[in-house]
């Protein structure tokens, strides 16, 4: 029986549907593809330079298999496509399977947003060991072909990047603006999930450790430094979020902590939405302040740049911090989808 | 098949470069006691000879690892070529 002295419970809000639509395709391939994603993240630049068959080539993937950029292949892969597309770009050392919620390869933000906002999901897979600038240029070319070959006239292209994927998206936009590519006119909204816009301190620590080991005149520590330096160009780019080839070309490999980043202004034609993660339940807690989501600090993921960061400051009206979440979970978490839906499908039931 | 060939190349490169890196460490570490012995009066020549023999044996051992790896790599390449080639019995 209800106690008259205590206010009645507020009516329960309708639960947000974060279940996978019944007919959603699964994302990602098998365990071999997952292993190749990791391998490419670690030594993908080496594999690419040696024309090794394990190197991943950038391509859209549907149900784990690459989709050729021809009208027929696109029609076959996306028979129900609308003119409103969302491109999902994964992060370092993973594949598009990172978008799947644990235990259900069909449950993704892409599938839910297709149901709630009519945005057809396109999943990109690429070699994350290459420089961000190389992947950015490749993505810009891929999208230019996509907009000419897509079987349905394109109305909108939403760009979504998780972790390194967000940097690749920004690099591609820079190339498109520089080369006046047509696809950029369709891109009016971008979403960045746990993207290290100001770089990742983890990589900077790794670079210092490697430098220290190399300066010690000992064959064993130099061997460890050699192994540490095997990490790919993509990993090294994460230290200062290098977006352009000028950021890394000509850098002295023997000098650690070189912020050679050239500021890339945010395109005013695109609305930028950012979601950052914080490990503790309070964003201002010291754990969150120090470690952010465990990989990317909150200041980096929210683009709160200081002048010495040599990076544009992101408008903060479209920035949200999700608490009690780690970096990996940002790519598949109900709380994150709630925010995405608020921005991209506010009118959905 | 492309992936199998890639895996073979990667393992071969890892063994090749790994052997070279360990050989470098081995040679540098062994050089220190030899250099000390070479400074002891009366031991310079035998120590220098022993140092040379040691380095020769080192190059031979690690070189053999690289050689065998490359030969095994070539053999696997041939097997993969045969598997890739269309069968002569096929219509």
């Amino acid at each position: 029986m209800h106690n008259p002295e205590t206010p009645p419970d507020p009516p329960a809000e309708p639960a947000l549907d974060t279940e996978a639509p019944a007919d959603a395709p699964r994302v990602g391939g098998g365990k071999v593809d997952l292993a190749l994603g990791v391998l490419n993240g670690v030594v993908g630049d080496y594999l690419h330079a040696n024309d090794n068959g394990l190197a991943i080539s950038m391509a859209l993937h549907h149900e784990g298999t690459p989709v050729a950029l021809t009208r027929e292949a696109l029609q076959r892969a996306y028979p129900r496509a609308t003119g409103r597309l969302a491109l999902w770009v994964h992060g370092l050392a993973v594949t598009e399977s990172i978008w799947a919620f644990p235990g259900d390869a069909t449950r993704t933000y892409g599938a839910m947003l297709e149901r709630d906002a009519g945005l057809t999901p396109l999943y990109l897979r690429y070699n994350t060991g290459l420089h961000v600038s190389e992947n950015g240029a490749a993505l810009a070319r891929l999208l230019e072909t996509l907009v000419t070959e897509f079987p349905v006239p394109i109305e909108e292209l939403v760009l979504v990047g998780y972790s390194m994927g967000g940097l690749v998206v920004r690099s591609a936009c820079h190339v498109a603006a520089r080369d006046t590519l047509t696809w950029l006119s369709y891109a009016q909204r971008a979403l960045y999930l746990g993207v290290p816009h100001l770089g990742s301190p983890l990589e900077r620590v790794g670079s210092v450790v490697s430098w220290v080991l190399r300066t010690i005149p000992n064959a064993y520590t130099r061997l460890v430094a050699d192994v540490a330096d095997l990490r790919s160009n993509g990993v090294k780019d994460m230290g200062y979020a290098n977006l352009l080839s000028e950021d890394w070309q000509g850098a002295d490999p023997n000098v650690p902590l070189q912020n050679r980043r050239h500021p890339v202004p945010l395109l005013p034609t695109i609305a930028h939405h950012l979601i950052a993660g914080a490990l503790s339940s309070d964003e201002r807690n010291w754990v969150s302040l120090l470690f952010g989501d465990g990989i990317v600090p909150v200041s980096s993921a929210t683009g709160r740049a200081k002048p010495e960061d040599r990076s544009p400051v992101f408008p903060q009206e479209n920035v949200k911090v999700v608490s009690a979440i780690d970096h990996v979970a940002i790519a598949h978490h109900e709380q994150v989808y709630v925010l995405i839906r608020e921005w991209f499908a506010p009118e959905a039931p | 098949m492309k992936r199998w060939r890639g895996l073979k190349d990667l393992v071969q490169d890892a063994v090749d470069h790994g052997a070279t890196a360990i050989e470098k460490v081995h040679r540098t570490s062994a050089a220190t006691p030899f250099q000390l012995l070479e400074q002891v009066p009366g031991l310079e020549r035998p120590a220098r000879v022993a140092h040379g023999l040691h380095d020769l044996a080192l190059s031979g051992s690690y070189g053999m690892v690289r050689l065998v790896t490359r030969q095994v790599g070539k053999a696997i390449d041939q097997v993969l070529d045969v598997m890739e080639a269309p069968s002569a019995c096929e219509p």
Side-chain angles (χ1 to χ4, degrees):
Chain A
M1 181 180 272
H2 177 68
N3 183 346
E5 290 181 8
T6 57
D9 293 335
E13 289 198 7
L16 185 66
D17 187 2
T18 57
E19 290 306 310
D23 54 351
R26 66 176 175 80
V27 292
K31 286 179 181 167
V32 172
D33 284 3
L34 275 179
L36 287 181
V38 175
L39 185 70
N40 276 259
V42 180
V43 291
D45 52 342
Y46 181 83
L47 298 175
H48 177 78
N50 289 284
D51 202 19
N52 189 297
L54 299 177
I56 293 173
S57 300
M58 180 179 282
L60 296 179
H61 277 65
H62 179 69
E63 299 201 318
T65 53
V67 179
L69 288 179
T70 61
R71 190 167 291 263
E72 298 74 32
L74 290 164
Q75 175 73 54
R76 251 194 325 275
Y78 310 107
R80 293 177 304 151
T82 66
R84 299 179 63 231
L85 309 175
L87 179 75
W88 299 83
V89 185
H90 63 75
L92 177 68
V94 292
T95 66
E96 74 279 10
S97 62
I98 192 71
W99 297 114
F101 278 54
D104 187 354
T106 65
R107 192 173 172 222
T108 61
Y109 299 152
M112 291 186 253
L113 211 53
E114 182 175 32
R115 177 197 60 208
D116 294 339
L119 288 163
T120 303
L122 307 177
Y123 296 101
L124 188 78
R125 189 187 294 182
Y126 64 103
N127 180 347
T128 58
L130 299 180
H131 280 293
V132 168
S133 56
E134 292 170 328
N135 278 321
L139 177 58
R141 287 194 300 273
L142 182 147
L143 289 176
E144 194 64 359
T145 310
L146 178 77
V147 294
T148 54
E149 291 293 322
F150 206 71
V152 179
I154 294 178
E155 299 160 30
E156 184 184 8
L157 175 62
V158 175
L159 303 167
V160 187
Y162 161 65
S163 194
M164 173 192 267
L167 300 181
V168 172
V169 162
R170 285 185 59 202
S171 183
C173 288
H174 170 79
V175 171
R178 185 193 64 197
D179 298 347
T180 53
L181 300 181
T182 52
W183 65 262
L184 194 58
S185 60
Y186 303 112
Q188 288 125 28
R189 293 186 286 179
L191 171 63
Y192 307 101
L193 305 171
V195 176
H197 293 288
L198 311 180
S200 169
L202 264 187
E203 162 51 24
R204 297 202 284 268
V205 168
S207 142
V208 170
V209 169
S210 162
W211 176 78
V212 169
L213 289 172
R214 193 168 294 287
T215 53
I216 298 171
N218 178 288
Y220 292 99
T221 55
R222 282 188 181 152
L223 180 64
V224 177
D226 284 344
V227 173
D229 279 343
L230 283 178
R231 68 198 192 283
S232 67
N233 291 329
V235 175
K236 290 174 185 166
D237 274 350
M238 300 297 273
Y240 287 103
N242 293 336
L243 299 182
L244 312 177
S245 53
E246 302 91 281
D247 294 345
W248 53 267
Q249 276 171 348
D252 185 348
N254 298 316
V255 179
L257 301 181
Q258 300 174 77
N259 184 356
R260 302 177 77 251
R261 181 168 52 212
H262 295 69
V264 175
L266 297 174
L267 294 178
T269 51
I270 298 180
H272 302 274
H273 300 77
L274 292 81
I275 294 179
L279 285 177
S280 70
S281 52
D282 180 4
E283 185 199 335
R284 289 155 300 176
N285 180 291
W286 68 270
V287 175
S288 295
L289 287 174
L290 263 181
F291 301 108
D293 61 15
I295 304 283
V296 180
V298 173
S299 59
S300 185
T302 53
R304 292 171 190 157
K306 299 190 187 98
E308 64 268 26
D309 289 321
R310 303 170 65 169
S311 168
V313 178
F314 282 76
Q316 295 294 301
E317 67 266 19
N318 287 331
V319 173
K320 301 271 186 189
V321 179
V322 178
S323 53
I325 192 171
D326 63 64
H327 186 69
V328 174
I330 291 176
H332 44 253
H333 199 281
E334 288 178 5
Q335 268 180 280
V336 174
Y337 183 67
V338 170
L339 298 175
I340 294 175
R341 212 186 80 147
E342 273 177 29
W343 279 327
F344 291 88
E347 68 289 343
Chain B
M1 202 57 73
K2 190 178 153 199
R3 285 182 174 178
W4 282 114
R5 212 178 278 280
L7 182 63
K8 188 275 300 175
D9 289 344
L10 185 65
V11 172
Q12 189 177 322
D13 283 354
V15 174
D16 203 302
H17 291 134
T20 304
I22 294 169
E23 180 185 357
K24 203 169 142 191
V25 174
H26 195 157
R27 193 181 297 275
T28 313
S29 307
T32 311
F34 280 123
Q35 281 160 0
L36 286 173
L37 286 174
E38 283 163 20
Q39 287 169 9
V40 178
L43 285 180
E44 306 102 316
R45 284 195 66 184
R48 207 168 293 134
V49 170
H51 193 171
L53 285 172
H54 170 270
D55 283 357
L56 195 63
L58 202 68
S59 300
S61 307
Y62 287 100
M64 190 55 74
V65 171
R66 285 187 290 266
L67 183 69
V68 169
T69 308
R70 283 171 201 165
Q71 292 309 318
V72 171
K74 278 182 188 168
I76 294 174
D77 268 337
Q78 285 182 350
V79 171
L80 292 175
D81 285 345
V82 169
M83 289 169 72
E84 239 171 7
S87 167
C89 302
E90 269 180 29

